[in-house]
Amino acid sequence: GIEARGFLLAGAVATAANVGLVPIRKAGKLPRPAASVSYALEYGTATIEAHDDMTPGTRVLLVDDILATGGTIQAAHELVPALGGVVIGTSVLMELCALGGRDVVGDVHALFEV
């Protein structure tokens, strides 16, 4: 689940699938050591982090609320393999098509496209 509304959606998905949840958060929000990836924003840079205790080979579905320009989700696509995981897919509640995030991220399942 990607910060912060993505936690709500990812929590529901994880519960339904009876699997764990890995929170991907903004830098400095996690309680213990973490791996991080920085990425460009329209107005600067940002960093996301996740705990560095993922079991190698863990299959990960990235879940977030919105796909806009794709920067955060692309960074998550880099972060998961750095932790030893394998991204098997990306799912969002809504895609803002005019912002071109799909061109950055690639294949993504969006429940709504606006």
Side-chain angles (χ1 to χ4, degrees):
I2 301 173
E3 174 100 18
R5 292 175 299 258
F7 298 161
L8 299 172
L9 300 168
V13 170
T15 298
N18 197 32
V19 297
L21 172 69
V22 175
I24 297 177
R25 303 224 45 201
K26 294 176 184 173
K29 302 283 186 173
L30 293 172
R32 61 179 197 263
S36 65
V37 171
S38 294
Y39 60 100
L41 298 168
E42 301 79 26
Y43 50 84
T45 61
T47 301
I48 57 171
E49 299 178 327
H51 290 149
D52 58 1
D53 58 358
M54 186 179 295
T55 303
T58 298
R59 294 166 38 94
V60 176
L61 171 66
L62 294 172
V63 178
D64 203 358
D65 61 334
I66 302 242
L67 172 60
T69 61
T72 305
I73 293 175
Q74 180 59 37
H77 271 265
E78 294 174 26
L79 182 59
V80 169
L83 295 167
V86 178
V87 177
I88 61 165
T90 303
S91 183
V92 297
L93 180 63
M94 183 178 357
E95 177 183 0
L96 304 177
C97 299
L99 297 179
R102 189 177 292 262
D103 296 335
V104 173
V105 176
D107 188 34
V108 62
H109 173 73
L111 189 58
F112 300 104
E113 296 178 0
V114 180

